[in-house]
Amino acid sequence: QLGQTFLPPFNEGSLVISLVGPPGMSLEESVRAGQQAEALLLELPEVDVVTRRTGRAELDEHAQGVHASELDVPFTLADPSEREAFFERVRLVLGQIPGINATLGQPIAHRIDHMLSGTRANIAVKIYGDELPTLQALSRSAVRALEGIEGLADVTPEPMMEVPELRITPRPLQLAAYGLTVQDLGHYVEAALGGSEAGEAFLGSRRRAAIVVRLAPAFRQSADAIRSLNITLPTGGSVPLTTVADVESRSAAFTVSRENVQRKAVIAVNLAGRDLRSAVTEIKSTLATALDLPPGYRVELGGQFESAERATGLLRWSAILAILVIFLLLYMEFRNWALASIVLLNLPLALIGGIAAVAWTSGSVSIAAVIGFISLFGIATRNGLLLVSRYEDLGQTTSLTGNALLLQGAADRLNPILMTALSTALALIPLALNGDASGNEIQSPMAIVILGGLLSATLLNLFVIPIIYRWVRMR
């Protein structure tokens, strides 16, 4: 009944905010929106500094247009438990900027999400299909459905706007009549409008810059000017561009996003105070009801939950292997299957405390908590081993029997069991209590699980194991 997440929430003390405007937004408008966001954020008492990057270079690994900005926002909270409330205030503040989609993240968590899902969010809802208008309609319907789910934040669709373009379509017959090819026309238009590199200029002793030649702005900045371009013929003379090609003003997609050769629309979704597994389950059921998918269209979810499922499966097999190895080692110690099984009963005794500790704290099982459970198996088995081995020793070296043997064995092993349990617990308490400290987010859930399991296993071991031992060995 517990929730499930991949990694515990990080407390990095800094926000990474992605501001995305409509495609084609000018640099000036993007800067204005970024400056407005900076001013609004600096009004928050927790924020002292805001750093912004607008756009990224074309050769950058994460190139993006000038319509997108990233803000680094360090913050200081008096109470770390107020982090989610602070994030919600930031979302409300940035919601005042018209036409801008804001997505919140933290530096390390932001990069992990980007590597796992390709988006800057915990979950990526991907809709695959062929036709852009259909994808746009499905994306809008999905956003409306997702916005009604409690615990989801920053529901941000990938921009799929259409922008005007001037399409030049060659007419092969007319080109051939003038001794031209489609390649000739393409080279000419590319050089006239985009420019052709004609050489290099040396700027000082170490710097060089390319010399690009193209038509003056008056001849390429309007549709009529482009239609009036004169194409030079191989035999001399020239003809207007419209004689050998059709020049049409059309609308087309600003960006085409594909994955595995299929066009897709992506909706980024963050979580706010909710575990990953229940959110993914509700998203799947909601979209199945809200979307009427045409043939050839499908919805897939990507992000942390995929990694969580793979890691949980791997750790599940690791736990089973650990239990088998522990059982074989116990059998090698006692040469008796029954005694090995009695000691192994400490595992469910430890699970009781571990599960209770998780339910009492975060309520969600992360990969760190699962690793804590596996570590707990060895610690819990040690206590049972100390007790059962003492019973066997007393049965062979003394005349004690029945309850007298059980009480004497428990009394003999009480100090060693408490000493080892307390030494482990004292080392783990600082990690468990400082779960909100930056850099301690992974260690804290693991320490909490081990502490809870250690407590239940230590207390129950002194009562349950003697009862089971008497029932198995003294009948």
Side-chain angles (χ1 to χ4, degrees):
Q1 301 301 314
L2 297 174
Q4 180 180 339
T5 60
F6 179 48
L7 295 173
F10 290 169
N11 182 24
E12 302 180 46
S14 181
L15 275 174
V16 175
I17 302 176
S18 176
L19 298 180
V20 181
M25 186 178 192
S26 67
L27 177 59
E28 291 75 15
E29 280 297 307
S30 187
V31 168
R32 184 194 60 78
Q35 290 173 340
Q36 186 178 353
E38 292 172 9
L40 291 171
L41 290 170
L42 288 172
E43 291 177 0
L44 298 174
E46 297 86 353
V47 177
D48 294 323
V49 178
V50 178
T51 306
R52 173 172 51 87
R53 298 179 298 276
T54 297
R56 283 183 181 265
E58 292 182 357
L59 298 181
D60 192 286
E61 291 182 355
H62 302 286
Q64 61 183 8
V66 296
H67 66 291
S69 298
E70 284 185 350
L71 281 72
D72 293 325
V73 186
F75 60 87
T76 304
L77 298 178
D79 184 358
S81 63
E82 296 294 322
R83 185 172 60 249
E84 287 297 333
F86 169 68
F87 288 179
E88 190 59 35
R89 285 205 316 255
V90 172
R91 292 186 179 102
L92 291 174
V93 164
L94 295 179
Q96 301 175 28
I97 307 175
I100 297 293
N101 287 324
T103 304
L104 273 61
Q106 298 183 86
I108 297 175
H110 170 90
R111 283 157 179 79
I112 291 174
D113 290 331
H114 205 195
M115 288 189 295
L116 294 178
S117 66
T119 63
R120 301 175 178 87
N122 303 143
I123 303 171
V125 179
K126 303 176 183 179
I127 307 174
Y128 294 89
D130 295 326
E131 298 298 329
L132 182 63
T134 305
L135 285 177
Q136 289 175 323
L138 291 173
S139 179
R140 288 192 293 267
S141 299
V143 168
R144 287 194 296 269
L146 294 174
E147 287 177 339
I149 299 177
E150 185 178 356
L152 301 188
D154 305 331
V155 180
T156 307
E158 183 181 58
M160 297 183 63
M161 297 179 62
E162 293 189 350
V163 294
E165 70 174 16
L166 209 59
R167 182 171 298 182
I168 301 174
T169 307
R171 287 185 283 198
L173 292 179
Q174 282 79 357
L175 286 170
Y178 288 100
L180 296 171
T181 65
V182 174
Q183 288 79 9
D184 294 334
L185 179 64
H187 291 321
Y188 183 86
V189 172
E190 179 183 4
L193 303 181
S196 177
E197 188 172 333
E200 288 183 332
F202 290 89
L203 307 176
S205 58
R206 296 185 179 180
R207 293 180 58 202
R208 295 184 298 177
I211 300 174
V212 177
V213 179
R214 61 179 175 178
L215 291 178
F219 296 97
R220 55 183 171 83
Q221 286 189 338
S222 68
D224 291 335
I226 292 174
R227 290 188 181 95
S228 302
L229 285 179
N230 286 321
I231 306 297
T232 304
L233 300 176
T235 56
S238 62
V239 294
L241 176 62
T242 52
T243 304
V244 293
D246 295 319
V247 181
E248 302 173 284
S249 180
R250 305 266 305 263
S251 62
F254 178 73
T255 56
V256 178
S257 179
R258 294 181 181 271
E259 187 173 315
N260 296 328
V261 199
Q262 258 196 311
R263 179 174 282 182
K264 66 175 181 178
V266 180
I267 303 168
V269 180
N270 275 327
L271 301 179
R274 183 170 185 176
D275 72 282
L276 186 63
R277 180 171 61 182
S278 67
V280 169
T281 301
E282 187 169 354
I283 287 173
K284 288 180 177 179
S285 62
T286 300
L287 293 181
T289 305
L291 298 183
D292 184 14
L293 295 176
Y297 289 76
R298 73 182 194 280
V299 177
E300 290 184 3
L301 268 64
Q304 288 190 11
F305 80 96
E306 291 179 316
S307 299
E309 290 178 348
R310 288 194 297 268
T312 301
L314 177 61
L315 291 174
R316 184 182 297 115
W317 286 108
S318 300
I320 293 172
L321 179 61
I323 293 172
L324 290 175
V325 171
I326 291 171
F327 186 76
L328 290 175
L329 291 174
L330 292 173
Y331 175 75
M332 292 173 63
E333 169 69 20
F334 295 113
R335 299 295 175 181
N336 186 296
W337 295 112
L339 291 177
S341 300
I342 292 174
V343 176
L344 211 62
L345 281 174
N346 271 280
L347 299 190
L349 302 184
L351 284 175
I352 292 171
I355 293 172
V358 173
W360 183 61
T361 53
S362 66
S364 296
V365 178
S366 64
I367 299 304
V370 175
I371 295 173
F373 278 112
I374 297 176
S375 304
L376 184 59
F377 291 165
I379 299 172
T381 305
R382 179 199 56 203
N383 292 343
L385 179 61
L386 288 173
L387 197 55
V388 172
S389 63
R390 183 57 179 163
Y391 288 157
E392 289 293 295
D393 185 53
L394 288 175
Q396 295 172 7
T397 59
T398 68
S399 60
L400 294 174
T401 58
N403 288 343
L405 183 146
L406 297 177
L407 289 172
Q408 183 63 44
D412 291 345
R413 285 294 179 254
L414 178 61
N415 283 343
I417 289 175
L418 290 180
M419 286 172 61
T420 54
L422 284 174
S423 62
T424 304
L426 290 173
L428 293 172
I429 285 173
L431 297 177
L433 294 181
N434 291 320
D436 289 327
S438 181
N440 199 34
E441 301 92 341
I442 302 294
Q443 300 174 92
S444 181
M446 185 169 58
I448 288 172
V449 166
I450 296 176
L451 271 176
L454 195 61
L455 178 63
S456 64
T458 302
L459 294 177
L460 295 176
N461 175 68
L462 294 172
F463 296 95
V464 176
I465 297 302
I467 294 172
I468 302 299
Y469 182 87
R470 179 185 177 91
W471 181 63
V472 173
R473 297 287 282 179
M474 298 183 179
R475 286 188 299 178

